[in-house]
Amino acid sequence: MATINDIGVAAAINIVTALAFLLAFAIFRIQPVNDRVYFPKWYLKGLRSSSIQTGGFGSKFINLDFRSYIRFLNWMPEALKMPEPELVDHAGLDSVVYLRIYLLGLKIFFPIACVAFTAMVPVNWTNKGLDRLRHYNISFSDIDKLSLSNIPNGSPRFWVHLCMAYAITFWTCFILKREYQNIALMRLQFLANDQRRPNQFTVLVRNIPSDPHESICELVEHFFKVNHPDHYLTFQAVHDATKLSELVLTRKQMQNLLDYNINKHMRNQSNRPVIKMGFLGCCGEEADGIKYYTSVVEGLTREISEEKQRLRTGTKSIVPAAFVSFKTRWGAAVCAQTQQTRNPTEWVTEWAAEPRDIYYDNLALPYVDLKIRRLIVGVAYFFLTFFFMIPIAFVQSLANIEGIEKAFPFLKPLIEVKFLKSIIQGFLPGIALKIFLLFLPRILMQMSKFEGFVSTSSLERRAATRFYMFQFINVFLGSIVTGTAFQQLNSFLNQSANDIPKTIGVSIPMKATFFITYIMVDGWAGVAGEILRLKPLIIYHLKNSFLVRTEKDREEATDPGTIGFNTGEPQIQLYFLLGLVYAAVSPILLPFILVFFGLAFVVYRHQVINVYNQKYESAGKFWPDVHRRVVTALVVSQLLLMGLLSTKHASKSTPLLLVLPLLTIGFHKHCKNRYQPAFVTYPLQEAMIKDTLDRIREPNFNLKAFLRDAYAHPEFRVGEDPEPEEKLESDMSPPELVATKRGSWRNTPLPSKQSCRDIP
């Protein structure tokens, strides 16, 4: 197992690595040639068009102003300078709420660390419980004497750990409640101050029942004119536009090649660009590049127009889903938050996400398919989680080579080299686990897409939930179980079954050393590597050197992506779990976690301001998931402490811990009932206030024109000219008689029956 020397070697390696990353970033960011890599958000906003210019040869590539190198660390105060309200306007509420997760970690763990090192570390260190267990063949190091394992069985000092558990619980719940309240208010205020957006008036309707007499479009129009006569405005059918998407993508590629050839000809007008028609443009007949790509683009444009016309006029491509828009937010809120028919599986309504947030590929999935898909994904996720125990066991074998030496003596000469042993135990386990987890987020995101979620935000939240569960089962529980088995392998093989629980109780606190190495690799060097953006930097320069032909190519090469909620948030939650579990067991872990939260807050604040471009805005809708996972980590820490104290024969103090999980669960239910509705529903009072203000400020606003094509498939809007505006329908107009082609009145409310009888 890792000793103090091993931890020191690992800390030195990771500190040097992190400082090297930060120093490299501070130098790279001021070079003009890297400007688009480190400030892409300002380019996308149109607020930055040229990099640093100092005059003289090479100024386009290298910053020749030596004064800027003296101020190379000024990015840190600049990252903290922007006020939170301004940051909301600049980056959106989602990004600000994401940053507050790091602040939450600092608020929770800094006071806990101060109390733990004042009260608990002296209590643990001044005992000799581990020295008395040498005859059990239990392996330990000096750093383990700072943990609960060093207290002998039945000691009255366990009352200190009991009081610490209560203090941790009450402080964490206090901070969580205050943060939940603040973010709920921020969300409501953001929605109240938000500008008019299509999703405020629009509802997604799914599982529209089939009818032999009416098409889906006619069904939707009839249903909402009858059941929402005062507020229904318009609807947008959902098409299966797979072929259209392929055509648009192909035309985009051909148009880019055409632009490249035109630019090439403009630079040298004496020669027309020539291309070869054979394999990959390397052989075959020669042709004029401009004429060829012009004809290809024109042909694709005609095909796209024909496909659009086919989709608009035909009915076979329309799927049983639609975006229904209303004249008021109040009407949309009533529809989205109520059941539409007696059958709750038909005409299912929910708030529509932002148009840019919609994942159109999943809108066409039938209702029955969703259940089958989620069952398949559930089974696949179970086996993925189960089989991942194999690499976890391998990682733990690296972290506990003493047990391997005893079981396999022939390896001892190789791994007993002092420096090599420190590297293996202090650095290699963390980096190996990081590598094994590298491809997992993509797999989980594909699973979420297969399940059928209809918005990017819901896809990321689902993937985040699975990633957190995966890390809890494999990284946390798997590392503890397999690590304990490897760590005390010799002890397990030479003791009776009755003594195994005692050995496990002693060994679990010792696993803090492995998690310390993982925190340093992932939370120190990993976060510093995040701000360096080494991979995007290399990719950008490779693309810029070999693939960028037009300005559009350069914009695509500059695309910074998003903050990655589906991977970042579960990773943060792992640190909450480790901190809460080991705060009362082995508090030596807490300073390493505090360094992570502090460094990550500064780094990601810089990234949110200058780099990441959030592709959607959910107004902090993911915060209930954050709250729930922190509460889950708190309950797990309480249960684990109860189990550990039971193995230490602390019979007087252990029963008093039983009340803590009950109090914590009750606290969670209170917060859920009090604050979660603000993240799920939209209060009718708020909707009415916004509607009233809109009528006062813009009484003649053309809402129907504003919403007409907001939720059309993105490929429909490519190359389209805006249609002429039309007048807004009056809210005070009387309900019209609704015509229908239906041969019966089933599932139709009574008012519609009477109206339909009057129609010739």
Side-chain angles (χ1 to χ4, degrees), residues 601-622:
F601 176 71
V602 177
V603 166
Y604 278 98
R605 210 174 198 272
H606 174 275
Q607 301 297 76
V608 164
I609 293 173
N610 299 303
V611 179
Y612 291 122
N613 182 39
Q614 197 65 18
K615 298 295 178 64
Y616 62 83
E617 179 59 65
S618 69
K621 200 172 184 179
F622 56 83

mmCIF file with all atom_site columns, all heavy atoms in Angstrom, residues 601-622:
data_model
loop_
_atom_site.group_PDB
_atom_site.id
_atom_site.type_symbol
_atom_site.label_atom_id
_atom_site.label_alt_id
_atom_site.label_comp_id
_atom_site.label_asym_id
_atom_site.label_entity_id
_atom_site.label_seq_id
_atom_site.pdbx_PDB_ins_code
_atom_site.Cartn_x
_atom_site.Cartn_y
_atom_site.Cartn_z
_atom_site.occupancy
_atom_site.B_iso_or_equiv
_atom_site.pdbx_formal_charge
_atom_site.auth_seq_id
_atom_site.auth_comp_id
_atom_site.auth_asym_id
_atom_site.auth_atom_id
_atom_site.pdbx_PDB_model_num
ATOM 1   N N   . PHE A 1 601 ? -12.589 25.606 -9.691  1.00 0.00 ? 601 PHE A N   1
ATOM 2   C CA  . PHE A 1 601 ? -13.488 26.764 -9.788  1.00 0.00 ? 601 PHE A CA  1
ATOM 3   C C   . PHE A 1 601 ? -12.855 27.870 -10.626 1.00 0.00 ? 601 PHE A C   1
ATOM 4   O O   . PHE A 1 601 ? -13.501 28.444 -11.515 1.00 0.00 ? 601 PHE A O   1
ATOM 5   C CB  . PHE A 1 601 ? -13.821 27.283 -8.393  1.00 0.00 ? 601 PHE A CB  1
ATOM 6   C CG  . PHE A 1 601 ? -14.652 28.535 -8.410  1.00 0.00 ? 601 PHE A CG  1
ATOM 7   C CD1 . PHE A 1 601 ? -15.981 28.506 -8.799  1.00 0.00 ? 601 PHE A CD1 1
ATOM 8   C CD2 . PHE A 1 601 ? -14.096 29.757 -8.053  1.00 0.00 ? 601 PHE A CD2 1
ATOM 9   C CE1 . PHE A 1 601 ? -16.746 29.667 -8.827  1.00 0.00 ? 601 PHE A CE1 1
ATOM 10  C CE2 . PHE A 1 601 ? -14.846 30.924 -8.074  1.00 0.00 ? 601 PHE A CE2 1
ATOM 11  C CZ  . PHE A 1 601 ? -16.179 30.866 -8.466  1.00 0.00 ? 601 PHE A CZ  1
ATOM 12  N N   . VAL A 1 602 ? -11.585 28.162 -10.373 1.00 0.00 ? 602 VAL A N   1
ATOM 13  C CA  . VAL A 1 602 ? -10.907 29.222 -11.126 1.00 0.00 ? 602 VAL A CA  1
ATOM 14  C C   . VAL A 1 602 ? -10.760 28.823 -12.596 1.00 0.00 ? 602 VAL A C   1
ATOM 15  O O   . VAL A 1 602 ? -11.028 29.618 -13.511 1.00 0.00 ? 602 VAL A O   1
ATOM 16  C CB  . VAL A 1 602 ? -9.527  29.523 -10.513 1.00 0.00 ? 602 VAL A CB  1
ATOM 17  C CG1 . VAL A 1 602 ? -8.785  30.567 -11.344 1.00 0.00 ? 602 VAL A CG1 1
ATOM 18  C CG2 . VAL A 1 602 ? -9.677  30.003 -9.079  1.00 0.00 ? 602 VAL A CG2 1
ATOM 19  N N   . VAL A 1 603 ? -10.356 27.574 -12.835 1.00 0.00 ? 603 VAL A N   1
ATOM 20  C CA  . VAL A 1 603 ? -10.122 27.116 -14.205 1.00 0.00 ? 603 VAL A CA  1
ATOM 21  C C   . VAL A 1 603 ? -11.414 27.124 -15.013 1.00 0.00 ? 603 VAL A C   1
ATOM 22  O O   . VAL A 1 603 ? -11.471 27.661 -16.133 1.00 0.00 ? 603 VAL A O   1
ATOM 23  C CB  . VAL A 1 603 ? -9.488  25.714 -14.193 1.00 0.00 ? 603 VAL A CB  1
ATOM 24  C CG1 . VAL A 1 603 ? -9.562  25.077 -15.581 1.00 0.00 ? 603 VAL A CG1 1
ATOM 25  C CG2 . VAL A 1 603 ? -8.045  25.790 -13.730 1.00 0.00 ? 603 VAL A CG2 1
ATOM 26  N N   . TYR A 1 604 ? -12.479 26.549 -14.461 1.00 0.00 ? 604 TYR A N   1
ATOM 27  C CA  . TYR A 1 604 ? -13.721 26.451 -15.233 1.00 0.00 ? 604 TYR A CA  1
ATOM 28  C C   . TYR A 1 604 ? -14.428 27.791 -15.345 1.00 0.00 ? 604 TYR A C   1
ATOM 29  O O   . TYR A 1 604 ? -15.187 28.009 -16.299 1.00 0.00 ? 604 TYR A O   1
ATOM 30  C CB  . TYR A 1 604 ? -14.632 25.386 -14.626 1.00 0.00 ? 604 TYR A CB  1
ATOM 31  C CG  . TYR A 1 604 ? -14.256 23.997 -15.066 1.00 0.00 ? 604 TYR A CG  1
ATOM 32  C CD1 . TYR A 1 604 ? -13.463 23.182 -14.255 1.00 0.00 ? 604 TYR A CD1 1
ATOM 33  C CD2 . TYR A 1 604 ? -14.655 23.506 -16.291 1.00 0.00 ? 604 TYR A CD2 1
ATOM 34  C CE1 . TYR A 1 604 ? -13.092 21.917 -14.667 1.00 0.00 ? 604 TYR A CE1 1
ATOM 35  C CE2 . TYR A 1 604 ? -14.289 22.236 -16.712 1.00 0.00 ? 604 TYR A CE2 1
ATOM 36  C CZ  . TYR A 1 604 ? -13.508 21.438 -15.896 1.00 0.00 ? 604 TYR A CZ  1
ATOM 37  O OH  . TYR A 1 604 ? -13.133 20.187 -16.317 1.00 0.00 ? 604 TYR A OH  1
ATOM 38  N N   . ARG A 1 605 ? -14.179 28.699 -14.423 1.00 0.00 ? 605 ARG A N   1
ATOM 39  C CA  . ARG A 1 605 ? -14.732 30.047 -14.601 1.00 0.00 ? 605 ARG A CA  1
ATOM 40  C C   . ARG A 1 605 ? -14.066 30.721 -15.804 1.00 0.00 ? 605 ARG A C   1
ATOM 41  O O   . ARG A 1 605 ? -14.741 31.395 -16.598 1.00 0.00 ? 605 ARG A O   1
ATOM 42  C CB  . ARG A 1 605 ? -14.517 30.881 -13.336 1.00 0.00 ? 605 ARG A CB  1
ATOM 43  C CG  . ARG A 1 605 ? -15.599 31.938 -13.112 1.00 0.00 ? 605 ARG A CG  1
ATOM 44  C CD  . ARG A 1 605 ? -15.438 32.632 -11.782 1.00 0.00 ? 605 ARG A CD  1
ATOM 45  N NE  . ARG A 1 605 ? -16.671 33.303 -11.391 1.00 0.00 ? 605 ARG A NE  1
ATOM 46  C CZ  . ARG A 1 605 ? -16.993 34.535 -11.737 1.00 0.00 ? 605 ARG A CZ  1
ATOM 47  N NH1 . ARG A 1 605 ? -16.169 35.216 -12.508 1.00 0.00 ? 605 ARG A NH1 1
ATOM 48  N NH2 . ARG A 1 605 ? -18.128 35.068 -11.343 1.00 0.00 ? 605 ARG A NH2 1
ATOM 49  N N   . HIS A 1 606 ? -12.771 30.529 -15.925 1.00 0.00 ? 606 HIS A N   1
ATOM 50  C CA  . HIS A 1 606 ? -12.070 31.053 -17.107 1.00 0.00 ? 606 HIS A CA  1
ATOM 51  C C   . HIS A 1 606 ? -12.608 30.407 -18.378 1.00 0.00 ? 606 HIS A C   1
ATOM 52  O O   . HIS A 1 606 ? -12.829 31.088 -19.393 1.00 0.00 ? 606 HIS A O   1
ATOM 53  C CB  . HIS A 1 606 ? -10.572 30.787 -16.971 1.00 0.00 ? 606 HIS A CB  1
ATOM 54  C CG  . HIS A 1 606 ? -9.784  31.151 -18.192 1.00 0.00 ? 606 HIS A CG  1
ATOM 55  N ND1 . HIS A 1 606 ? -9.634  30.289 -19.264 1.00 0.00 ? 606 HIS A ND1 1
ATOM 56  C CD2 . HIS A 1 606 ? -9.112  32.282 -18.533 1.00 0.00 ? 606 HIS A CD2 1
ATOM 57  C CE1 . HIS A 1 606 ? -8.917  30.876 -20.196 1.00 0.00 ? 606 HIS A CE1 1
ATOM 58  N NE2 . HIS A 1 606 ? -8.576  32.077 -19.779 1.00 0.00 ? 606 HIS A NE2 1
ATOM 59  N N   . GLN A 1 607 ? -12.825 29.093 -18.346 1.00 0.00 ? 607 GLN A N   1
ATOM 60  C CA  . GLN A 1 607 ? -13.305 28.398 -19.541 1.00 0.00 ? 607 GLN A CA  1
ATOM 61  C C   . GLN A 1 607 ? -14.712 28.838 -19.925 1.00 0.00 ? 607 GLN A C   1
ATOM 62  O O   . GLN A 1 607 ? -15.025 28.978 -21.107 1.00 0.00 ? 607 GLN A O   1
ATOM 63  C CB  . GLN A 1 607 ? -13.276 26.885 -19.309 1.00 0.00 ? 607 GLN A CB  1
ATOM 64  C CG  . GLN A 1 607 ? -11.913 26.309 -18.968 1.00 0.00 ? 607 GLN A CG  1
ATOM 65  C CD  . GLN A 1 607 ? -10.892 26.475 -20.076 1.00 0.00 ? 607 GLN A CD  1
ATOM 66  O OE1 . GLN A 1 607 ? -10.358 27.564 -20.277 1.00 0.00 ? 607 GLN A OE1 1
ATOM 67  N NE2 . GLN A 1 607 ? -10.623 25.404 -20.792 1.00 0.00 ? 607 GLN A NE2 1
ATOM 68  N N   . VAL A 1 608 ? -15.561 29.047 -18.941 1.00 0.00 ? 608 VAL A N   1
ATOM 69  C CA  . VAL A 1 608 ? -16.927 29.492 -19.222 1.00 0.00 ? 608 VAL A CA  1
ATOM 70  C C   . VAL A 1 608 ? -16.930 30.889 -19.838 1.00 0.00 ? 608 VAL A C   1
ATOM 71  O O   . VAL A 1 608 ? -17.715 31.182 -20.746 1.00 0.00 ? 608 VAL A O   1
ATOM 72  C CB  . VAL A 1 608 ? -17.765 29.456 -17.924 1.00 0.00 ? 608 VAL A CB  1
ATOM 73  C CG1 . VAL A 1 608 ? -19.044 30.271 -18.073 1.00 0.00 ? 608 VAL A CG1 1
ATOM 74  C CG2 . VAL A 1 608 ? -18.108 28.014 -17.569 1.00 0.00 ? 608 VAL A CG2 1
ATOM 75  N N   . ILE A 1 609 ? -16.053 31.748 -19.370 1.00 0.00 ? 609 ILE A N   1
ATOM 76  C CA  . ILE A 1 609 ? -16.007 33.123 -19.883 1.00 0.00 ? 609 ILE A CA  1
ATOM 77  C C   . ILE A 1 609 ? -15.421 33.174 -21.286 1.00 0.00 ? 609 ILE A C   1
ATOM 78  O O   . ILE A 1 609 ? -15.926 33.908 -22.152 1.00 0.00 ? 609 ILE A O   1
ATOM 79  C CB  . ILE A 1 609 ? -15.196 34.014 -18.926 1.00 0.00 ? 609 ILE A CB  1
ATOM 80  C CG1 . ILE A 1 609 ? -15.925 34.172 -17.591 1.00 0.00 ? 609 ILE A CG1 1
ATOM 81  C CG2 . ILE A 1 609 ? -14.937 35.388 -19.545 1.00 0.00 ? 609 ILE A CG2 1
ATOM 82  C CD1 . ILE A 1 609 ? -15.116 34.890 -16.524 1.00 0.00 ? 609 ILE A CD1 1
ATOM 83  N N   . ASN A 1 610 ? -14.367 32.395 -21.544 1.00 0.00 ? 610 ASN A N   1
ATOM 84  C CA  . ASN A 1 610 ? -13.600 32.558 -22.780 1.00 0.00 ? 610 ASN A CA  1
ATOM 85  C C   . ASN A 1 610 ? -13.722 31.426 -23.790 1.00 0.00 ? 610 ASN A C   1
ATOM 86  O O   . ASN A 1 610 ? -13.426 31.642 -24.969 1.00 0.00 ? 610 ASN A O   1
ATOM 87  C CB  . ASN A 1 610 ? -12.117 32.737 -22.444 1.00 0.00 ? 610 ASN A CB  1
ATOM 88  C CG  . ASN A 1 610 ? -11.851 33.954 -21.598 1.00 0.00 ? 610 ASN A CG  1
ATOM 89  O OD1 . ASN A 1 610 ? -12.195 35.063 -21.974 1.00 0.00 ? 610 ASN A OD1 1
ATOM 90  N ND2 . ASN A 1 610 ? -11.250 33.760 -20.429 1.00 0.00 ? 610 ASN A ND2 1
ATOM 91  N N   . VAL A 1 611 ? -14.118 30.239 -23.357 1.00 0.00 ? 611 VAL A N   1
ATOM 92  C CA  . VAL A 1 611 ? -14.001 29.083 -24.247 1.00 0.00 ? 611 VAL A CA  1
ATOM 93  C C   . VAL A 1 611 ? -15.355 28.474 -24.590 1.00 0.00 ? 611 VAL A C   1
ATOM 94  O O   . VAL A 1 611 ? -15.828 28.587 -25.726 1.00 0.00 ? 611 VAL A O   1
ATOM 95  C CB  . VAL A 1 611 ? -13.078 28.004 -23.624 1.00 0.00 ? 611 VAL A CB  1
ATOM 96  C CG1 . VAL A 1 611 ? -12.987 26.787 -24.543 1.00 0.00 ? 611 VAL A CG1 1
ATOM 97  C CG2 . VAL A 1 611 ? -11.697 28.574 -23.374 1.00 0.00 ? 611 VAL A CG2 1
ATOM 98  N N   . TYR A 1 612 ? -15.981 27.832 -23.638 1.00 0.00 ? 612 TYR A N   1
ATOM 99  C CA  . TYR A 1 612 ? -17.129 26.979 -23.936 1.00 0.00 ? 612 TYR A CA  1
ATOM 100 C C   . TYR A 1 612 ? -18.327 27.783 -24.413 1.00 0.00 ? 612 TYR A C   1
ATOM 101 O O   . TYR A 1 612 ? -18.634 28.854 -23.889 1.00 0.00 ? 612 TYR A O   1
ATOM 102 C CB  . TYR A 1 612 ? -17.508 26.145 -22.718 1.00 0.00 ? 612 TYR A CB  1
ATOM 103 C CG  . TYR A 1 612 ? -16.476 25.094 -22.388 1.00 0.00 ? 612 TYR A CG  1
ATOM 104 C CD1 . TYR A 1 612 ? -15.860 25.049 -21.146 1.00 0.00 ? 612 TYR A CD1 1
ATOM 105 C CD2 . TYR A 1 612 ? -16.095 24.156 -23.337 1.00 0.00 ? 612 TYR A CD2 1
ATOM 106 C CE1 . TYR A 1 612 ? -14.911 24.092 -20.845 1.00 0.00 ? 612 TYR A CE1 1
ATOM 107 C CE2 . TYR A 1 612 ? -15.147 23.196 -23.052 1.00 0.00 ? 612 TYR A CE2 1
ATOM 108 C CZ  . TYR A 1 612 ? -14.559 23.165 -21.811 1.00 0.00 ? 612 TYR A CZ  1
ATOM 109 O OH  . TYR A 1 612 ? -13.615 22.216 -21.531 1.00 0.00 ? 612 TYR A OH  1
ATOM 110 N N   . ASN A 1 613 ? -19.022 27.218 -25.396 1.00 0.00 ? 613 ASN A N   1
ATOM 111 C CA  . ASN A 1 613 ? -20.214 27.828 -25.968 1.00 0.00 ? 613 ASN A CA  1
ATOM 112 C C   . ASN A 1 613 ? -21.382 26.890 -25.727 1.00 0.00 ? 613 ASN A C   1
ATOM 113 O O   . ASN A 1 613 ? -21.542 25.892 -26.431 1.00 0.00 ? 613 ASN A O   1
ATOM 114 C CB  . ASN A 1 613 ? -20.020 28.082 -27.466 1.00 0.00 ? 613 ASN A CB  1
ATOM 115 C CG  . ASN A 1 613 ? -21.213 28.761 -28.085 1.00 0.00 ? 613 ASN A CG  1
ATOM 116 O OD1 . ASN A 1 613 ? -21.815 29.644 -27.473 1.00 0.00 ? 613 ASN A OD1 1
ATOM 117 N ND2 . ASN A 1 613 ? -21.575 28.354 -29.293 1.00 0.00 ? 613 ASN A ND2 1
ATOM 118 N N   . GLN A 1 614 ? -22.188 27.190 -24.707 1.00 0.00 ? 614 GLN A N   1
ATOM 119 C CA  . GLN A 1 614 ? -23.289 26.304 -24.339 1.00 0.00 ? 614 GLN A CA  1
ATOM 120 C C   . GLN A 1 614 ? -24.323 26.246 -25.461 1.00 0.00 ? 614 GLN A C   1
ATOM 121 O O   . GLN A 1 614 ? -24.780 27.273 -25.943 1.00 0.00 ? 614 GLN A O   1
ATOM 122 C CB  . GLN A 1 614 ? -23.950 26.787 -23.045 1.00 0.00 ? 614 GLN A CB  1
ATOM 123 C CG  . GLN A 1 614 ? -24.821 25.753 -22.368 1.00 0.00 ? 614 GLN A CG  1
ATOM 124 C CD  . GLN A 1 614 ? -24.041 24.555 -21.866 1.00 0.00 ? 614 GLN A CD  1
ATOM 125 O OE1 . GLN A 1 614 ? -22.825 24.614 -21.726 1.00 0.00 ? 614 GLN A OE1 1
ATOM 126 N NE2 . GLN A 1 614 ? -24.717 23.457 -21.623 1.00 0.00 ? 614 GLN A NE2 1
ATOM 127 N N   . LYS A 1 615 ? -24.667 25.028 -25.878 1.00 0.00 ? 615 LYS A N   1
ATOM 128 C CA  . LYS A 1 615 ? -25.553 24.850 -27.025 1.00 0.00 ? 615 LYS A CA  1
ATOM 129 C C   . LYS A 1 615 ? -27.028 24.932 -26.652 1.00 0.00 ? 615 LYS A C   1
ATOM 130 O O   . LYS A 1 615 ? -27.890 24.900 -27.533 1.00 0.00 ? 615 LYS A O   1
ATOM 131 C CB  . LYS A 1 615 ? -25.264 23.494 -27.675 1.00 0.00 ? 615 LYS A CB  1
ATOM 132 C CG  . LYS A 1 615 ? -23.843 23.371 -28.228 1.00 0.00 ? 615 LYS A CG  1
ATOM 133 C CD  . LYS A 1 615 ? -23.588 24.336 -29.371 1.00 0.00 ? 615 LYS A CD  1
ATOM 134 C CE  . LYS A 1 615 ? -22.167 24.263 -29.895 1.00 0.00 ? 615 LYS A CE  1
ATOM 135 N NZ  . LYS A 1 615 ? -21.804 22.984 -30.495 1.00 0.00 ? 615 LYS A NZ  1
ATOM 136 N N   . TYR A 1 616 ? -27.342 25.006 -25.373 1.00 0.00 ? 616 TYR A N   1
ATOM 137 C CA  . TYR A 1 616 ? -28.738 25.108 -24.949 1.00 0.00 ? 616 TYR A CA  1
ATOM 138 C C   . TYR A 1 616 ? -28.793 25.825 -23.611 1.00 0.00 ? 616 TYR A C   1
ATOM 139 O O   . TYR A 1 616 ? -27.779 26.051 -22.960 1.00 0.00 ? 616 TYR A O   1
ATOM 140 C CB  . TYR A 1 616 ? -29.380 23.728 -24.850 1.00 0.00 ? 616 TYR A CB  1
ATOM 141 C CG  . TYR A 1 616 ? -28.730 22.813 -23.825 1.00 0.00 ? 616 TYR A CG  1
ATOM 142 C CD1 . TYR A 1 616 ? -29.057 22.884 -22.472 1.00 0.00 ? 616 TYR A CD1 1
ATOM 143 C CD2 . TYR A 1 616 ? -27.773 21.883 -24.206 1.00 0.00 ? 616 TYR A CD2 1
ATOM 144 C CE1 . TYR A 1 616 ? -28.462 22.073 -21.541 1.00 0.00 ? 616 TYR A CE1 1
ATOM 145 C CE2 . TYR A 1 616 ? -27.165 21.063 -23.283 1.00 0.00 ? 616 TYR A CE2 1
ATOM 146 C CZ  . TYR A 1 616 ? -27.511 21.153 -21.956 1.00 0.00 ? 616 TYR A CZ  1
ATOM 147 O OH  . TYR A 1 616 ? -26.912 20.343 -21.018 1.00 0.00 ? 616 TYR A OH  1
ATOM 148 N N   . GLU A 1 617 ? -29.984 26.174 -23.187 1.00 0.00 ? 617 GLU A N   1
ATOM 149 C CA  . GLU A 1 617 ? -30.183 26.824 -21.891 1.00 0.00 ? 617 GLU A CA  1
ATOM 150 C C   . GLU A 1 617 ? -31.393 26.187 -21.219 1.00 0.00 ? 617 GLU A C   1
ATOM 151 O O   . GLU A 1 617 ? -32.521 26.319 -21.676 1.00 0.00 ? 617 GLU A O   1
ATOM 152 C CB  . GLU A 1 617 ? -30.418 28.323 -22.079 1.00 0.00 ? 617 GLU A CB  1
ATOM 153 C CG  . GLU A 1 617 ? -30.671 29.075 -20.779 1.00 0.00 ? 617 GLU A CG  1
ATOM 154 C CD  . GLU A 1 617 ? -29.520 28.945 -19.798 1.00 0.00 ? 617 GLU A CD  1
ATOM 155 O OE1 . GLU A 1 617 ? -28.423 29.448 -20.097 1.00 0.00 ? 617 GLU A OE1 1
ATOM 156 O OE2 . GLU A 1 617 ? -29.740 28.317 -18.727 1.00 0.00 ? 617 GLU A OE2 1
ATOM 157 N N   . SER A 1 618 ? -31.131 25.458 -20.124 1.00 0.00 ? 618 SER A N   1
ATOM 158 C CA  . SER A 1 618 ? -32.217 24.819 -19.373 1.00 0.00 ? 618 SER A CA  1
ATOM 159 C C   . SER A 1 618 ? -32.523 25.555 -18.082 1.00 0.00 ? 618 SER A C   1
ATOM 160 O O   . SER A 1 618 ? -33.343 25.095 -17.288 1.00 0.00 ? 618 SER A O   1
ATOM 161 C CB  . SER A 1 618 ? -31.858 23.360 -19.061 1.00 0.00 ? 618 SER A CB  1
ATOM 162 O OG  . SER A 1 618 ? -30.787 23.285 -18.120 1.00 0.00 ? 618 SER A OG  1
ATOM 163 N N   . ALA A 1 619 ? -31.868 26.693 -17.836 1.00 0.00 ? 619 ALA A N   1
ATOM 164 C CA  . ALA A 1 619 ? -32.081 27.504 -16.633 1.00 0.00 ? 619 ALA A CA  1
ATOM 165 C C   . ALA A 1 619 ? -31.805 26.718 -15.353 1.00 0.00 ? 619 ALA A C   1
ATOM 166 O O   . ALA A 1 619 ? -32.560 26.782 -14.393 1.00 0.00 ? 619 ALA A O   1
ATOM 167 C CB  . ALA A 1 619 ? -33.489 28.090 -16.623 1.00 0.00 ? 619 ALA A CB  1
ATOM 168 N N   . GLY A 1 620 ? -30.711 25.975 -15.345 1.00 0.00 ? 620 GLY A N   1
ATOM 169 C CA  . GLY A 1 620 ? -30.303 25.247 -14.141 1.00 0.00 ? 620 GLY A CA  1
ATOM 170 C C   . GLY A 1 620 ? -31.193 24.087 -13.790 1.00 0.00 ? 620 GLY A C   1
ATOM 171 O O   . GLY A 1 620 ? -31.294 23.701 -12.614 1.00 0.00 ? 620 GLY A O   1
ATOM 172 N N   . LYS A 1 621 ? -31.815 23.466 -14.783 1.00 0.00 ? 621 LYS A N   1
ATOM 173 C CA  . LYS A 1 621 ? -32.777 22.396 -14.514 1.00 0.00 ? 621 LYS A CA  1
ATOM 174 C C   . LYS A 1 621 ? -32.137 21.165 -13.898 1.00 0.00 ? 621 LYS A C   1
ATOM 175 O O   . LYS A 1 621 ? -32.825 20.308 -13.333 1.00 0.00 ? 621 LYS A O   1
ATOM 176 C CB  . LYS A 1 621 ? -33.471 22.023 -15.827 1.00 0.00 ? 621 LYS A CB  1
ATOM 177 C CG  . LYS A 1 621 ? -34.789 21.306 -15.652 1.00 0.00 ? 621 LYS A CG  1
ATOM 178 C CD  . LYS A 1 621 ? -35.504 21.143 -16.980 1.00 0.00 ? 621 LYS A CD  1
ATOM 179 C CE  . LYS A 1 621 ? -36.868 20.502 -16.787 1.00 0.00 ? 621 LYS A CE  1
ATOM 180 N NZ  . LYS A 1 621 ? -37.597 20.360 -18.070 1.00 0.00 ? 621 LYS A NZ  1
ATOM 181 N N   . PHE A 1 622 ? -30.818 21.048 -13.984 1.00 0.00 ? 622 PHE A N   1
ATOM 182 C CA  . PHE A 1 622 ? -30.133 19.866 -13.475 1.00 0.00 ? 622 PHE A CA  1
ATOM 183 C C   . PHE A 1 622 ? -29.831 19.951 -11.980 1.00 0.00 ? 622 PHE A C   1
ATOM 184 O O   . PHE A 1 622 ? -29.338 18.979 -11.404 1.00 0.00 ? 622 PHE A O   1
ATOM 185 C CB  . PHE A 1 622 ? -28.816 19.661 -14.235 1.00 0.00 ? 622 PHE A CB  1
ATOM 186 C CG  . PHE A 1 622 ? -27.894 20.850 -14.202 1.00 0.00 ? 622 PHE A CG  1
ATOM 187 C CD1 . PHE A 1 622 ? -27.049 21.074 -13.127 1.00 0.00 ? 622 PHE A CD1 1
ATOM 188 C CD2 . PHE A 1 622 ? -27.871 21.748 -15.249 1.00 0.00 ? 622 PHE A CD2 1
ATOM 189 C CE1 . PHE A 1 622 ? -26.209 22.170 -13.093 1.00 0.00 ? 622 PHE A CE1 1
ATOM 190 C CE2 . PHE A 1 622 ? -27.025 22.847 -15.234 1.00 0.00 ? 622 PHE A CE2 1
ATOM 191 C CZ  . PHE A 1 622 ? -26.188 23.058 -14.152 1.00 0.00 ? 622 PHE A CZ  1
#
